[in-house]
Amino acid sequence: MSTAVPAPATPAGTLPMVEVRAVHKSFGALEVLRGIDLQVRTGEVAVVLGPSGSGKSTLLRTINHLEKVDSGRISVDGALVGYRRSGDKLYELREREILKQRTHIGFVFQNFNLFPHLTVLDNITEAPLAALRRPRKDVLATARALLDRVGLADKADAYPRQLSGGQQQRVAIARALALEPKLLLFDEPTSALDPELVGEVLAVIKDLARQGTTMIVVTHEIGFAREVADTVVFMDGGRIVEQGPPGQVLDHPRHERTKSFLSKVL
């Protein structure tokens, strides 16, 4: 299957880390994404807000090709995601090539998605060993350093069931970082946590932001968005209704739908 697309208009050398252009996605008769355009520069944090069903999670899943787009295109670090270009058409990559692309795009899910039969250390080392075929000694050293970074150096031999939700999510972040991705995607990383555990996960993400990690974070944590985001994106009905700096979108929204949403969550 092929999809006709326009040629890239951005000159070489000025490409953003993430570029989403005119992306549409439907599930049956339900159109979930209705022409999404989004750019995220290297080192930026984009926080995506919006009501349930607005298309936020689907947008993230298209960025690493967990969901195929119906039309439009997505690039990460200048490379088309999930497709190769031939003339004015795109052809989907083979699964092996898609999996290789995903090693550059870390994804942290709301329900952790850790392997319950593996220890914390093995959860982190599994992908670098299998996908990148790095020396085991180096992978283990990196994994232990990442556990220390997320405050769980003493949990290497524990199993996920022995951890709190907040600890499991911090392991999931360390697992994503183990592949040294160019981009990190977070899909409501605190929504499955008890309120008292939210802070420990957000603290890790804030630290990543301070270190210049490029991230797109879907969340309902408005305070986090205000503190960390370079760009706040508000979605509704499968469209980006409004986007801009936190001070503009959160404090002086221009669109009535944004104002209505924020009045209920602030």
Side-chain angles (χ1 to χ4, degrees), residues 221-240:
E221 300 289 337
I222 304 298
F224 168 82
R226 190 185 304 279
E227 181 180 351
V228 176
D230 297 291
T231 300
V232 173
V233 178
F234 176 69
M235 290 184 65
D236 186 49
R239 294 184 172 91
I240 293 179

Side-chain angles (χ1 to χ4, degrees), residues 18 38 40 46 48 60 63 183-186 214-218:
V18 183
L38 177 66
V40 181
V48 185
L60 283 194
I63 291 173
L183 168 68
L184 271 180
L185 307 175
F186 291 85
T214 309
M215 295 184 281
I216 302 177
V217 185
V218 169

Side-chain angles (χ1 to χ4, degrees), residues 19-20 30 67 72 91 112 122 125 138 149 216 220 235:
E19 184 174 26
V20 179
L30 178 62
E67 298 289 354
Y91 296 88
F112 325 135
D122 288 341
T125 60
D138 295 345
R149 183 175 177 181
I216 302 177
H220 293 293
M235 290 184 65

Side-chain angles (χ1 to χ4, degrees), residues 57-148:
S57 294
T58 300
L59 173 60
L60 283 194
R61 292 172 69 84
T62 62
I63 291 173
N64 77 339
H65 207 65
L66 283 173
E67 298 289 354
K68 302 176 186 179
V69 301
D70 296 329
S71 61
R73 69 175 181 87
I74 298 171
S75 299
V76 172
D77 198 21
L80 285 171
V81 174
Y83 298 91
R84 63 177 175 84
R85 181 183 295 278
S86 180
D88 64 346
K89 293 186 177 181
L90 300 182
Y91 296 88
E92 190 170 18
L93 297 175
R94 289 172 292 187
E95 185 64 21
R96 182 182 63 191
E97 297 170 305
I98 293 170
L99 290 174
K100 184 177 180 181
Q101 281 194 332
R102 287 193 188 128
T103 65
H104 302 300
I105 307 171
F107 202 119
V108 179
F109 300 86
Q110 56 183 306
N111 291 316
F112 325 135
N113 284 19
L114 299 177
F115 296 112
H117 63 290
L118 297 181
T119 65
V120 164
L121 191 65
D122 288 341
N123 262 281
I124 297 171
T125 60
E126 191 267 344
L129 289 172
L132 302 182
R133 301 187 182 279
R134 291 177 177 167
R136 184 171 183 82
K137 179 182 177 182
D138 295 345
V139 171
L140 285 170
T142 298
R144 291 188 183 280
L146 287 170
L147 281 175
D148 184 59

Side-chain angles (χ1 to χ4, degrees), residues 41-60:
R41 293 192 295 264
T42 300
E44 277 192 339
V45 179
V47 172
V48 185
L49 306 175
S52 297
S54 59
K56 307 184 299 296
S57 294
T58 300
L59 173 60
L60 283 194

